[in-house]
Amino acid sequence: LAWKVERDMVRVKKMYEVAVEERNFTGIQLIDRNDELCILYEKTNIQEQILRNGEYEYTQRINEIRVLHLEQKRLAWKVEVTKKVLPKIPEYQLQITGLRKQLTDQVAMGKKLSLSLETPSGSTRWRILPGKDLEPEELALKVAELEERLNEKKEQLLEKELVLEEVSSLSDRLRRQAADGRQGTLELAQAVNGVQSRIKGVTRKMMATVSELSLYQATAMKLEGDKTGLEEVLAEARERLEKGEAPTADAEAMWFRMVRTTEMREETARLRSEEDRVAMLEAPDSMAEPRPNAYIPDDGIGLPKPYGAHAPFKPQEPGSSMRFIQKPQPREIQI
């Protein structure tokens, strides 16, 4: 028996060593496969990046091709227009030559008219102005008058410049106020929007409150009607009680029903007790061993407590065949 156990131990040890070697080899292969998987993921990412770059470049080339097609269409249109205009070039050259000749004639005529206009010998080009030449005293008075008028104009100009400066300062101040007021206007508009939204919310709440009030009023009216009816029923019940009758027909029927139910319960209990008594008298004596249906808890009081639905299991007594069964002895496993 000992050599069998030793042989089994050697066999188990060899199996363990083989399993350890397989585990180590599997772990090395798993690490290699993991490295290969990482390399493949990296290659996949590189290929995806190359694919995205290629798609971007392809989109760029498509856009360039579209732009070149448009440029080609524009150039083709210009070629067609040029081909249509090309047969009329000699006609256009003749028109240009005629227009240049007309321009030269008109320039010569302009020079001639300018010379005739500037010649003082022509009596049709000048006329004698009416009036007389003033004396130096008159000229001095005229100059003084003009200087006085000039001074007045200068004073008016200064006054207008002062008014312009005041108006400019006021306009600048108003402009700054307007610029500053924009933010205030925005804040005011936001505040107005907030107030309007709150007003709408309050309005909705008021409408809901009015609806609830209408519902409560209808409920109150209904309860008031119920109260009036119950008061009438109460008055009638008091009158019937004073006469020695039942308050209401329903109460009388309920009383009769309760009395009948009580009588039926008493009769049923009496019949059950009678049946139990008869069964106890007629029951045969049992030879079975009575089983415990209660236990004494460890609370120091000593009162028995029933088991309830989960009573303990009571095993059977061991038979005569138990002498052929040996108790198993577990072997110690050595690794």
Side-chain angles (χ1 to χ4, degrees):
L1 182 62
W3 66 271
K4 289 183 179 180
V5 172
E6 186 176 358
R7 185 182 61 185
D8 292 340
M9 289 176 62
V10 171
R11 183 173 56 82
V12 170
K13 186 176 181 179
K14 288 182 179 180
M15 291 175 63
Y16 175 74
E17 292 176 354
V18 171
V20 169
E21 290 179 358
E22 291 180 354
R23 183 198 63 184
N24 295 334
F25 181 71
T26 304
I28 294 171
Q29 287 185 344
L30 180 62
I31 293 171
D32 294 338
R33 297 293 88 78
N34 191 13
D35 294 339
E36 293 177 0
L37 182 62
C38 293
I39 294 170
L40 290 175
Y41 277 138
E42 186 67 24
K43 289 183 179 180
T44 302
N45 294 331
I46 294 171
Q47 294 296 329
E48 289 179 354
Q49 183 65 31
I50 294 171
L51 181 61
R52 286 195 293 269
N53 294 335
E55 290 178 354
Y56 176 75
E57 294 295 332
Y58 176 74
T59 305
Q60 293 294 113
R61 299 292 87 77
I62 291 294
N63 293 330
E64 291 178 1
I65 291 170
R66 183 172 57 82
V67 173
L68 290 174
H69 279 309
L70 294 175
E71 186 67 21
Q72 181 185 4
K73 290 181 181 179
R74 188 178 66 82
L75 293 175
W77 174 76
K78 289 180 69 176
V79 169
E80 293 295 331
V81 172
T82 305
K83 286 181 180 180
K84 291 180 181 178
V85 175
L86 189 60
K88 297 182 180 180
I89 289 177
E91 183 179 353
Y92 290 156
Q93 289 180 351
L94 292 176
Q95 290 181 3
I96 290 170
T97 303
L99 291 174
R100 285 179 178 174
K101 185 177 180 182
Q102 292 179 8
L103 179 60
T104 304
D105 296 339
Q106 293 297 328
V107 169
M109 186 180 294
K111 290 180 178 180
K112 183 179 179 181
L113 291 174
S114 298
L115 291 174
S116 64
L117 179 62
E118 296 173 357
T119 302
S121 61
S123 60
T124 58
R125 296 296 180 183
W126 57 272
R127 63 187 178 86
I128 299 174
L129 294 176
K132 62 179 181 177
D133 295 332
L134 298 176
E135 297 295 332
E137 292 81 3
E138 294 178 354
L139 288 174
L141 293 173
K142 194 71 172 178
V143 169
E145 183 180 357
L146 291 174
E147 288 180 353
E148 186 178 356
R149 289 177 61 188
L150 180 60
N151 292 329
E152 291 179 358
K153 295 298 181 181
K154 286 182 179 180
E155 292 177 359
Q156 292 178 2
L157 180 61
L158 290 173
E159 292 178 358
K160 289 182 179 180
E161 286 180 355
L162 293 173
V163 172
L164 178 61
E165 289 179 358
E166 293 179 358
V167 171
S168 299
S169 63
L170 290 174
S171 62
D172 293 338
R173 186 172 63 185
L174 291 174
R175 191 177 294 107
R176 288 194 298 270
Q177 289 180 359
D180 296 337
R182 289 177 183 173
Q183 185 65 27
T185 304
L186 179 61
E187 293 177 357
L188 182 60
Q190 292 177 355
V192 169
N193 292 332
V195 171
Q196 288 180 353
S197 62
R198 286 198 295 273
I199 289 173
K200 290 181 181 178
V202 172
T203 303
R204 288 194 293 268
K205 290 181 180 179
M206 289 179 61
M207 293 176 66
T209 305
V210 170
S211 300
E212 291 180 0
L213 181 60
S214 301
L215 181 62
Y216 289 155
Q217 288 179 352
T219 306
M221 293 175 64
K222 182 180 178 182
L223 293 175
E224 187 68 26
D226 295 341
K227 178 183 176 183
T228 304
L230 292 174
E231 287 179 352
E232 294 178 356
V233 172
L234 181 60
E236 184 180 358
R238 287 178 177 174
E239 292 179 358
R240 297 186 64 175
L241 284 174
E242 291 177 355
K243 294 179 181 179
E245 299 177 358
T248 58
D250 295 336
E252 186 176 2
M254 185 180 296
W255 171 256
F256 288 140
R257 188 164 56 253
M258 290 174 63
V259 171
R260 186 170 60 254
T261 303
T262 303
E263 292 177 353
M264 290 177 65
R265 287 178 179 175
E266 292 177 353
E267 184 67 20
T268 303
R270 187 181 63 78
L271 293 175
R272 187 179 294 111
S273 62
E274 187 69 21
E275 290 176 357
D276 293 341
R277 187 176 63 80
V278 172
M280 290 178 64
L281 293 175
E282 295 178 356
D285 296 335
S286 176
M287 300 300 292
E289 182 182 357
R291 296 197 176 196
N293 56 4
Y295 68 98
I296 299 176
D298 298 335
D299 53 2
I301 299 176
L303 295 177
K305 188 175 182 179
Y307 285 114
H310 304 285
F313 174 73
K314 183 179 181 181
Q316 296 180 357
E317 294 182 358
S320 60
S321 62
M322 289 293 292
R323 64 179 181 274
F324 301 107
I325 299 174
Q326 296 181 0
K327 186 177 181 180
Q329 296 180 0
R331 297 179 182 179
E332 184 180 357
I333 299 173
Q334 294 182 0
I335 299 175

